[in-house]
mmCIF file of all heavy atoms in Angstrom:
data_model
loop_
_atom_site.group_PDB
_atom_site.id
_atom_site.type_symbol
_atom_site.label_atom_id
_atom_site.label_comp_id
_atom_site.label_asym_id
_atom_site.label_seq_id
_atom_site.Cartn_x
_atom_site.Cartn_y
_atom_site.Cartn_z
ATOM 1 N N GLY A 21 116.904 91.837 87.331
ATOM 2 C CA GLY A 21 115.642 92.553 87.491
ATOM 3 C C GLY A 21 115.771 93.806 88.330
ATOM 4 O O GLY A 21 115.230 94.859 87.987
ATOM 5 N N THR A 22 116.483 93.707 89.434
ATOM 6 C CA THR A 22 116.648 94.867 90.319
ATOM 7 C C THR A 22 117.383 96.001 89.611
ATOM 8 O O THR A 22 116.959 97.157 89.665
ATOM 9 C CB THR A 22 117.435 94.457 91.578
ATOM 10 O OG1 THR A 22 116.727 93.421 92.271
ATOM 11 C CG2 THR A 22 117.620 95.648 92.514
ATOM 12 N N THR A 23 118.470 95.684 88.932
ATOM 13 C CA THR A 23 119.251 96.699 88.233
ATOM 14 C C THR A 23 118.457 97.335 87.098
ATOM 15 O O THR A 23 118.400 98.565 86.964
ATOM 16 C CB THR A 23 120.548 96.080 87.670
ATOM 17 O OG1 THR A 23 121.294 95.488 88.735
ATOM 18 C CG2 THR A 23 121.393 97.142 86.988
ATOM 19 N N ALA A 24 117.815 96.500 86.292
ATOM 20 C CA ALA A 24 117.083 97.004 85.133
ATOM 21 C C ALA A 24 115.913 97.882 85.546
ATOM 22 O O ALA A 24 115.684 98.963 84.969
ATOM 23 C CB ALA A 24 116.591 95.833 84.286
ATOM 24 N N PHE A 25 115.163 97.462 86.547
ATOM 25 C CA PHE A 25 114.000 98.243 86.964
ATOM 26 C C PHE A 25 114.401 99.505 87.719
ATOM 27 O O PHE A 25 113.704 100.520 87.662
ATOM 28 C CB PHE A 25 113.071 97.384 87.814
ATOM 29 C CG PHE A 25 112.041 96.645 87.003
ATOM 30 C CD1 PHE A 25 111.250 95.673 87.594
ATOM 31 C CD2 PHE A 25 111.849 96.909 85.663
ATOM 32 C CE1 PHE A 25 110.294 94.986 86.858
ATOM 33 C CE2 PHE A 25 110.899 96.231 84.916
ATOM 34 C CZ PHE A 25 110.120 95.271 85.516
ATOM 35 N N ALA A 26 115.509 99.466 88.434
ATOM 36 C CA ALA A 26 115.988 100.693 89.089
ATOM 37 C C ALA A 26 116.356 101.740 88.038
ATOM 38 O O ALA A 26 116.052 102.934 88.196
ATOM 39 C CB ALA A 26 117.186 100.379 89.979
ATOM 40 N N ILE A 27 116.995 101.303 86.958
ATOM 41 C CA ILE A 27 117.317 102.217 85.856
ATOM 42 C C ILE A 27 116.036 102.787 85.257
ATOM 43 O O ILE A 27 115.922 104.000 85.017
ATOM 44 C CB ILE A 27 118.135 101.489 84.768
ATOM 45 C CG1 ILE A 27 119.517 101.109 85.306
ATOM 46 C CG2 ILE A 27 118.276 102.357 83.521
ATOM 47 C CD1 ILE A 27 120.323 100.230 84.355
ATOM 48 N N SER A 28 115.062 101.926 85.023
ATOM 49 C CA SER A 28 113.796 102.343 84.436
ATOM 50 C C SER A 28 113.101 103.401 85.293
ATOM 51 O O SER A 28 112.660 104.438 84.798
ATOM 52 C CB SER A 28 112.886 101.121 84.270
ATOM 53 O OG SER A 28 111.585 101.501 83.891
ATOM 54 N N GLY A 29 113.006 103.138 86.590
ATOM 55 C CA GLY A 29 112.335 104.087 87.480
ATOM 56 C C GLY A 29 113.077 105.395 87.618
ATOM 57 O O GLY A 29 112.470 106.475 87.595
ATOM 58 N N ALA A 30 114.392 105.311 87.751
ATOM 59 C CA ALA A 30 115.181 106.538 87.917
ATOM 60 C C ALA A 30 115.131 107.403 86.670
ATOM 61 O O ALA A 30 115.055 108.636 86.758
ATOM 62 C CB ALA A 30 116.623 106.179 88.258
ATOM 63 N N LEU A 31 115.155 106.784 85.503
ATOM 64 C CA LEU A 31 115.097 107.572 84.278
ATOM 65 C C LEU A 31 113.776 108.309 84.153
ATOM 66 O O LEU A 31 113.735 109.474 83.726
ATOM 67 C CB LEU A 31 115.312 106.687 83.054
ATOM 68 C CG LEU A 31 115.332 107.446 81.720
ATOM 69 C CD1 LEU A 31 116.511 108.419 81.678
ATOM 70 C CD2 LEU A 31 115.393 106.486 80.540
ATOM 71 N N LEU A 32 112.690 107.660 84.557
ATOM 72 C CA LEU A 32 111.398 108.349 84.526
ATOM 73 C C LEU A 32 111.407 109.537 85.484
ATOM 74 O O LEU A 32 110.859 110.600 85.172
ATOM 75 C CB LEU A 32 110.269 107.383 84.896
ATOM 76 C CG LEU A 32 108.860 107.992 84.883
ATOM 77 C CD1 LEU A 32 108.519 108.554 83.509
ATOM 78 C CD2 LEU A 32 107.824 106.951 85.302
ATOM 79 N N GLY A 33 112.049 109.365 86.636
ATOM 80 C CA GLY A 33 112.162 110.479 87.569
ATOM 81 C C GLY A 33 112.915 111.654 86.966
ATOM 82 O O GLY A 33 112.530 112.810 87.137
ATOM 83 N N VAL A 34 113.987 111.357 86.231
ATOM 84 C CA VAL A 34 114.744 112.410 85.555
ATOM 85 C C VAL A 34 113.875 113.090 84.501
ATOM 86 O O VAL A 34 113.849 114.323 84.390
ATOM 87 C CB VAL A 34 116.016 111.819 84.908
ATOM 88 C CG1 VAL A 34 116.695 112.855 84.015
ATOM 89 C CG2 VAL A 34 116.986 111.336 85.979
ATOM 90 N N ARG A 35 113.145 112.303 83.725
ATOM 91 C CA ARG A 35 112.297 112.865 82.689
ATOM 92 C C ARG A 35 111.163 113.718 83.244
ATOM 93 O O ARG A 35 110.691 114.650 82.587
ATOM 94 C CB ARG A 35 111.697 111.747 81.823
ATOM 95 C CG ARG A 35 112.681 111.060 80.900
ATOM 96 C CD ARG A 35 113.367 112.028 79.953
ATOM 97 N NE ARG A 35 112.453 112.834 79.172
ATOM 98 C CZ ARG A 35 111.990 112.526 77.972
ATOM 99 N NH1 ARG A 35 112.339 111.398 77.418
ATOM 100 N NH2 ARG A 35 111.182 113.344 77.339
ATOM 101 N N ARG A 36 110.726 113.418 84.454
ATOM 102 C CA ARG A 36 109.661 114.202 85.096
ATOM 103 C C ARG A 36 110.227 115.357 85.918
ATOM 104 O O ARG A 36 109.520 115.994 86.692
ATOM 105 C CB ARG A 36 108.811 113.306 85.988
ATOM 106 C CG ARG A 36 108.153 112.139 85.286
ATOM 107 C CD ARG A 36 107.096 112.550 84.297
ATOM 108 N NE ARG A 36 105.860 112.950 84.953
ATOM 109 C CZ ARG A 36 104.753 113.292 84.313
ATOM 110 N NH1 ARG A 36 104.740 113.282 82.996
ATOM 111 N NH2 ARG A 36 103.676 113.649 84.964
ATOM 112 N N SER A 37 111.528 115.625 85.760
ATOM 113 C CA SER A 37 112.219 116.738 86.437
ATOM 114 C C SER A 37 112.133 116.629 87.954
ATOM 115 O O SER A 37 112.025 117.645 88.663
ATOM 116 C CB SER A 37 111.639 118.079 85.980
ATOM 117 O OG SER A 37 111.827 118.249 84.588
ATOM 118 N N MET A 38 112.191 115.431 88.485
ATOM 119 C CA MET A 38 112.189 115.239 89.929
ATOM 120 C C MET A 38 113.580 115.495 90.497
ATOM 121 O O MET A 38 114.585 115.392 89.780
ATOM 122 C CB MET A 38 111.742 113.817 90.275
ATOM 123 C CG MET A 38 110.301 113.524 89.946
ATOM 124 S SD MET A 38 109.798 111.870 90.510
ATOM 125 C CE MET A 38 108.072 111.870 90.013
ATOM 126 N N ASP A 39 113.616 115.841 91.777
ATOM 127 C CA ASP A 39 114.916 116.026 92.419
ATOM 128 C C ASP A 39 115.511 114.659 92.749
ATOM 129 O O ASP A 39 114.935 113.616 92.423
ATOM 130 C CB ASP A 39 114.795 116.909 93.671
ATOM 131 C CG ASP A 39 113.891 116.308 94.746
ATOM 132 O OD1 ASP A 39 113.609 115.085 94.693
ATOM 133 O OD2 ASP A 39 113.459 117.047 95.645
ATOM 134 N N VAL A 40 116.659 114.672 93.397
ATOM 135 C CA VAL A 40 117.379 113.424 93.635
ATOM 136 C C VAL A 40 116.565 112.460 94.493
ATOM 137 O O VAL A 40 116.570 111.238 94.267
ATOM 138 C CB VAL A 40 118.762 113.710 94.272
ATOM 139 C CG1 VAL A 40 118.619 114.408 95.621
ATOM 140 C CG2 VAL A 40 119.572 112.425 94.403
ATOM 141 N N PHE A 41 115.813 113.003 95.465
ATOM 142 C CA PHE A 41 115.015 112.119 96.320
ATOM 143 C C PHE A 41 113.870 111.485 95.530
ATOM 144 O O PHE A 41 113.609 110.280 95.652
ATOM 145 C CB PHE A 41 114.458 112.893 97.513
ATOM 146 C CG PHE A 41 113.633 112.043 98.445
ATOM 147 C CD1 PHE A 41 114.236 111.107 99.272
ATOM 148 C CD2 PHE A 41 112.243 112.166 98.476
ATOM 149 C CE1 PHE A 41 113.481 110.306 100.115
ATOM 150 C CE2 PHE A 41 111.478 111.378 99.319
ATOM 151 C CZ PHE A 41 112.097 110.445 100.141
ATOM 152 N N GLY A 42 113.180 112.296 94.736
ATOM 153 C CA GLY A 42 112.092 111.765 93.933
ATOM 154 C C GLY A 42 112.563 110.711 92.952
ATOM 155 O O GLY A 42 111.926 109.662 92.767
ATOM 156 N N THR A 43 113.702 110.962 92.323
ATOM 157 C CA THR A 43 114.279 110.000 91.388
ATOM 158 C C THR A 43 114.655 108.706 92.100
ATOM 159 O O THR A 43 114.428 107.604 91.594
ATOM 160 C CB THR A 43 115.518 110.603 90.711
ATOM 161 O OG1 THR A 43 115.145 111.802 90.025
ATOM 162 C CG2 THR A 43 116.127 109.625 89.716
ATOM 163 N N LEU A 44 115.223 108.862 93.298
ATOM 164 C CA LEU A 44 115.602 107.695 94.086
ATOM 165 C C LEU A 44 114.380 106.862 94.461
ATOM 166 O O LEU A 44 114.402 105.623 94.372
ATOM 167 C CB LEU A 44 116.335 108.145 95.351
ATOM 168 C CG LEU A 44 116.708 107.068 96.372
ATOM 169 C CD1 LEU A 44 117.619 106.028 95.740
ATOM 170 C CD2 LEU A 44 117.374 107.696 97.587
ATOM 171 N N VAL A 45 113.304 107.531 94.867
ATOM 172 C CA VAL A 45 112.085 106.816 95.254
ATOM 173 C C VAL A 45 111.511 106.044 94.069
ATOM 174 O O VAL A 45 111.128 104.875 94.203
ATOM 175 C CB VAL A 45 111.037 107.792 95.819
ATOM 176 C CG1 VAL A 45 109.676 107.111 95.941
ATOM 177 C CG2 VAL A 45 111.475 108.317 97.179
ATOM 178 N N LEU A 46 111.471 106.678 92.885
ATOM 179 C CA LEU A 46 110.934 105.984 91.715
ATOM 180 C C LEU A 46 111.780 104.763 91.355
ATOM 181 O O LEU A 46 111.249 103.702 91.027
ATOM 182 C CB LEU A 46 110.853 106.927 90.515
ATOM 183 C CG LEU A 46 109.692 107.925 90.478
ATOM 184 C CD1 LEU A 46 109.529 108.487 89.068
ATOM 185 C CD2 LEU A 46 108.389 107.296 90.927
ATOM 186 N N GLY A 47 113.091 104.918 91.393
ATOM 187 C CA GLY A 47 113.953 103.785 91.105
ATOM 188 C C GLY A 47 113.766 102.657 92.109
ATOM 189 O O GLY A 47 113.733 101.476 91.744
ATOM 190 N N LEU A 48 113.613 103.030 93.371
ATOM 191 C CA LEU A 48 113.490 102.033 94.432
ATOM 192 C C LEU A 48 112.164 101.285 94.353
ATOM 193 O O LEU A 48 112.140 100.044 94.422
ATOM 194 C CB LEU A 48 113.630 102.722 95.793
ATOM 195 C CG LEU A 48 113.730 101.825 97.026
ATOM 196 C CD1 LEU A 48 114.903 100.863 96.894
ATOM 197 C CD2 LEU A 48 113.868 102.674 98.294
ATOM 198 N N VAL A 49 111.053 102.004 94.194
ATOM 199 C CA VAL A 49 109.756 101.320 94.177
ATOM 200 C C VAL A 49 109.599 100.465 92.920
ATOM 201 O O VAL A 49 108.925 99.423 92.951
ATOM 202 C CB VAL A 49 108.583 102.315 94.280
ATOM 203 C CG1 VAL A 49 108.658 103.092 95.578
ATOM 204 C CG2 VAL A 49 108.507 103.247 93.087
ATOM 205 N N THR A 50 110.214 100.886 91.813
ATOM 206 C CA THR A 50 110.140 100.071 90.596
ATOM 207 C C THR A 50 110.881 98.755 90.801
ATOM 208 O O THR A 50 110.432 97.694 90.363
ATOM 209 C CB THR A 50 110.753 100.818 89.401
ATOM 210 O OG1 THR A 50 110.165 102.114 89.290
ATOM 211 C CG2 THR A 50 110.492 100.061 88.102
ATOM 212 N N ALA A 51 112.001 98.823 91.502
ATOM 213 C CA ALA A 51 112.836 97.642 91.705
ATOM 214 C C ALA A 51 112.283 96.682 92.754
ATOM 215 O O ALA A 51 112.415 95.466 92.604
ATOM 216 C CB ALA A 51 114.256 98.068 92.088
ATOM 217 N N VAL A 52 111.658 97.200 93.812
ATOM 218 C CA VAL A 52 111.242 96.313 94.904
ATOM 219 C C VAL A 52 109.734 96.281 95.124
ATOM 220 O O VAL A 52 109.247 95.436 95.882
ATOM 221 C CB VAL A 52 111.935 96.711 96.232
ATOM 222 C CG1 VAL A 52 113.454 96.736 96.061
ATOM 223 C CG2 VAL A 52 111.436 98.059 96.750
ATOM 224 N N GLY A 53 108.993 97.162 94.447
ATOM 225 C CA GLY A 53 107.554 97.237 94.689
ATOM 226 C C GLY A 53 106.813 95.959 94.348
ATOM 227 O O GLY A 53 105.961 95.485 95.111
ATOM 228 N N GLY A 54 107.121 95.382 93.190
ATOM 229 C CA GLY A 54 106.454 94.144 92.795
ATOM 230 C C GLY A 54 106.757 92.998 93.737
ATOM 231 O O GLY A 54 105.876 92.188 94.065
ATOM 232 N N GLY A 55 107.999 92.919 94.195
ATOM 233 C CA GLY A 55 108.379 91.876 95.137
ATOM 234 C C GLY A 55 107.665 92.012 96.473
ATOM 235 O O GLY A 55 107.329 91.000 97.117
ATOM 236 N N MET A 56 107.396 93.239 96.878
ATOM 237 C CA MET A 56 106.673 93.451 98.130
ATOM 238 C C MET A 56 105.230 92.978 98.004
ATOM 239 O O MET A 56 104.679 92.373 98.932
ATOM 240 C CB MET A 56 106.737 94.923 98.518
ATOM 241 C CG MET A 56 108.128 95.404 98.897
ATOM 242 S SD MET A 56 108.215 97.163 99.301
ATOM 243 C CE MET A 56 107.286 97.196 100.834
ATOM 244 N N ILE A 57 104.600 93.245 96.848
ATOM 245 C CA ILE A 57 103.239 92.747 96.611
ATOM 246 C C ILE A 57 103.219 91.222 96.669
ATOM 247 O O ILE A 57 102.343 90.600 97.273
ATOM 248 C CB ILE A 57 102.716 93.244 95.256
ATOM 249 C CG1 ILE A 57 102.586 94.761 95.248
ATOM 250 C CG2 ILE A 57 101.364 92.592 94.926
ATOM 251 C CD1 ILE A 57 102.239 95.349 93.893
ATOM 252 N N ARG A 58 104.205 90.609 96.031
ATOM 253 C CA ARG A 58 104.315 89.146 96.044
ATOM 254 C C ARG A 58 104.465 88.605 97.458
ATOM 255 O O ARG A 58 103.764 87.667 97.863
ATOM 256 C CB ARG A 58 105.529 88.728 95.208
ATOM 257 C CG ARG A 58 105.870 87.244 95.271
ATOM 258 C CD ARG A 58 107.329 87.026 94.900
ATOM 259 N NE ARG A 58 108.229 87.612 95.883
ATOM 260 C CZ ARG A 58 109.423 88.134 95.589
ATOM 261 N NH1 ARG A 58 109.856 88.153 94.348
ATOM 262 N NH2 ARG A 58 110.190 88.627 96.556
ATOM 263 N N ASP A 59 105.365 89.192 98.226
ATOM 264 C CA ASP A 59 105.633 88.693 99.569
ATOM 265 C C ASP A 59 104.415 88.841 100.478
ATOM 266 O O ASP A 59 104.108 87.944 101.270
ATOM 267 C CB ASP A 59 106.830 89.430 100.174
ATOM 268 C CG ASP A 59 108.141 89.046 99.501
ATOM 269 O OD1 ASP A 59 108.139 88.065 98.733
ATOM 270 O OD2 ASP A 59 109.151 89.740 99.729
ATOM 271 N N LEU A 60 103.714 89.962 100.371
ATOM 272 C CA LEU A 60 102.512 90.150 101.181
ATOM 273 C C LEU A 60 101.439 89.143 100.789
ATOM 274 O O LEU A 60 100.695 88.637 101.639
ATOM 275 C CB LEU A 60 101.993 91.575 101.028
ATOM 276 C CG LEU A 60 102.889 92.673 101.634
ATOM 277 C CD1 LEU A 60 102.344 94.051 101.297
ATOM 278 C CD2 LEU A 60 102.999 92.496 103.150
ATOM 279 N N THR A 61 101.335 88.835 99.501
ATOM 280 C CA THR A 61 100.380 87.828 99.037
ATOM 281 C C THR A 61 100.701 86.458 99.611
ATOM 282 O O THR A 61 99.807 85.693 99.990
ATOM 283 C CB THR A 61 100.391 87.748 97.496
ATOM 284 O OG1 THR A 61 100.024 89.023 96.947
ATOM 285 C CG2 THR A 61 99.419 86.691 96.992
ATOM 286 N N LEU A 62 101.988 86.134 99.690
ATOM 287 C CA LEU A 62 102.420 84.827 100.180
ATOM 288 C C LEU A 62 102.546 84.762 101.700
ATOM 289 O O LEU A 62 102.886 83.717 102.251
ATOM 290 C CB LEU A 62 103.770 84.466 99.550
ATOM 291 C CG LEU A 62 103.773 84.272 98.028
ATOM 292 C CD1 LEU A 62 105.191 84.081 97.518
ATOM 293 C CD2 LEU A 62 102.899 83.080 97.639
ATOM 294 N N GLY A 63 102.292 85.884 102.378
ATOM 295 C CA GLY A 63 102.403 85.904 103.824
ATOM 296 C C GLY A 63 103.819 85.987 104.334
ATOM 297 O O GLY A 63 104.103 85.634 105.481
ATOM 298 N N ILE A 64 104.726 86.469 103.475
ATOM 299 C CA ILE A 64 106.122 86.651 103.874
ATOM 300 C C ILE A 64 106.263 88.053 104.472
ATOM 301 O O ILE A 64 106.291 89.055 103.762
ATOM 302 C CB ILE A 64 107.072 86.499 102.674
ATOM 303 C CG1 ILE A 64 106.916 85.114 102.046
ATOM 304 C CG2 ILE A 64 108.523 86.736 103.093
ATOM 305 C CD1 ILE A 64 107.718 84.927 100.778
ATOM 306 N N THR A 65 106.313 88.132 105.775
ATOM 307 C CA THR A 65 106.409 89.428 106.447
ATOM 308 C C THR A 65 107.551 89.399 107.464
ATOM 309 O O THR A 65 107.714 88.412 108.188
ATOM 310 C CB THR A 65 105.087 89.770 107.163
ATOM 311 O OG1 THR A 65 104.722 88.687 108.051
ATOM 312 C CG2 THR A 65 103.965 89.990 106.161
#
């Protein structure tokens, strides 16, 4: 999941002509964003 979603997010960043930081952020939030929502819901902090 982490690898696949990082690819998905980074590719969208490339398609939107983002720089390396923007592409990195999109890849990162796609890979870990859902897990953070889950953890906050479960009280895992």
Side-chain angles (χ1 to χ4, degrees):
T22 300
T23 303
F25 270 170
I27 293 173
S28 171
L31 183 63
L32 181 59
V34 171
R35 288 303 306 268
R36 302 293 284 183
S37 299
M38 293 185 179
D39 62 17
V40 61
F41 180 72
T43 301
L44 175 60
V45 168
L46 282 196
L48 188 57
V49 299
T50 308
V52 305
M56 293 178 68
I57 296 173
R58 173 202 66 213
D59 290 349
L60 292 174
T61 300
L62 296 173
I64 301 174
T65 54

